[in-house]
Amino acid sequence: QQQVKQSPQSLIVQKGGISIINCAYENTAFDYFPWYQQFPGKGPALLIAIRPDVSEKKEGRFTISFNKSAKQFSLHIMDSQPGDSATYFCAARGASSGSARQLTFGSGTQLTVLP
Amino acid sequence: DGGITQSPKYLFRKEGQNVTLSCEQNLNHDAMYWYRQDPGQGLRLIYYSQIVNDFQKGDIAEGYSVSREKKESFPLTVTSAQKNPTAFYLCASSSGSSGNTIYFGEGSWLTVV
């Protein structure tokens, strides 16, 4: 089964600090890497996404860094705010067809930004 | 407003009973999905459907069933065969043309009592 490993499980950051969440995938060709943000009791919402032909993508305070050779990608949240407190999921989509084409999610990181 | 509507938000089920979770979308999306979310395990795919009258098993389909009779509707039945049904269930959809961005509903909490 395709796997995406996410760390850390939980993260506490001071307001204004940088939050970094890491994900790694194993032995599978993935072609799309989104990050989702989920607030308690709500469904996840797409935050930012990247394709493997790009090493970095930035949208506002959120940046994805992608290392294809290491099979790793990470989310950086600059100037973290209390409103960023949520659970973050990385995901990867297989390049094959059928069920392998669907998104595989990491286990999630619960981010708490202290005021 | 366009979006995905899941109902009910909270549901309690007695052991041995089947229960059906509703999912309706007005985004005109071709593809629809059901995920299960357990603490510390992320989201796991139960079933997905790329087109009306067709659906495929995901990673954890045992004990679940679905139907896709209409483009906008994709109900999930949690059967008594599902041994650990207590979870947060998320319905999602995506445009068949892009297939990239998956939009989620607000979820349904199912508790077996």
Side-chain angles (χ1 to χ4, degrees), chain B:
Chain B
D1 290 343
I4 301 170
T5 302
Q6 290 187 238
S7 62
K9 180 69 173 179
Y10 300 95
L11 186 61
F12 295 88
R13 187 197 89 174
K14 293 183 179 180
E15 285 191 19
Q17 289 182 337
N18 293 353
V19 62
T20 297
L21 306 180
S22 171
C23 178
E24 302 279 333
Q25 56 98 359
N26 60 5
L27 299 169
N28 199 34
H29 285 169
D30 290 316
M32 297 188 73
Y33 313 81
W34 275 104
Y35 288 88
R36 169 177 172 146
Q37 185 173 13
D38 296 282
Q41 294 193 42
L43 283 71
R44 292 182 290 168
L45 183 64
I46 304 172
Y47 269 98
Y48 66 100
S49 169
Q50 302 280 42
I51 196 170
V52 175
N53 292 323
D54 186 50
F55 49 83
Q56 305 295 328
K57 293 182 178 180
D59 299 322
I60 56 165
E62 184 176 354
Y64 300 98
S65 66
V66 294
S67 63
R68 186 84 187 278
E69 298 177 359
K70 298 185 296 182
K71 185 176 183 178
E72 59 271 22
S73 179
F74 191 42
L76 173 73
T77 297
V78 184
T79 75
S80 57
Q82 170 51 235
K83 298 305 179 185
N84 297 294
T86 296
F88 188 48
Y89 290 89
L90 287 159
C91 179
S93 70
S94 68
S95 168
S97 59
S98 68
N100 292 340
T101 301
I102 289 182
Y103 298 88
F104 286 88
E106 296 215 331
S108 293
W109 288 95
L110 173 63
T111 302
V112 173
V113 297

Side-chain angles (χ1 to χ4, degrees), chain A residues 11-24:
Chain A
L11 179 62
I12 299 175
V13 175
Q14 292 286 342
K15 178 182 177 181
I18 301 174
S19 304
I20 301 175
I21 304 171
N22 301 299
C23 284

Side-chain angles (χ1 to χ4, degrees), chain A residues 26-113:
Chain A
E26 303 176 345
N27 300 324
T28 303
F30 290 118
D31 66 355
Y32 174 69
F33 301 86
W35 284 88
Y36 282 82
Q37 179 189 54
Q38 183 181 31
F39 293 104
K42 303 293 185 181
L46 179 67
L47 186 63
I48 186 173
I50 197 169
R51 296 189 181 276
D53 54 347
V54 176
S55 60
E56 184 175 284
K57 183 175 182 180
K58 183 177 181 179
E59 291 184 0
R61 296 185 293 107
F62 301 92
T63 300
I64 299 178
S65 296
F66 187 82
N67 186 330
K68 188 174 182 178
S69 61
K71 294 187 173 68
Q72 295 177 347
F73 57 109
S74 60
L75 175 69
H76 296 233
I77 305 174
M78 310 299 288
D79 187 26
S80 299
Q81 300 296 312
D84 296 331
S85 297
T87 299
Y88 293 81
F89 293 95
C90 64
R93 186 185 71 186
S96 305
S97 60
S99 61
R101 185 68 173 163
Q102 306 309 314
L103 287 177
T104 298
F105 286 85
S107 56
T109 296
Q110 187 170 351
L111 171 66
T112 301
V113 181

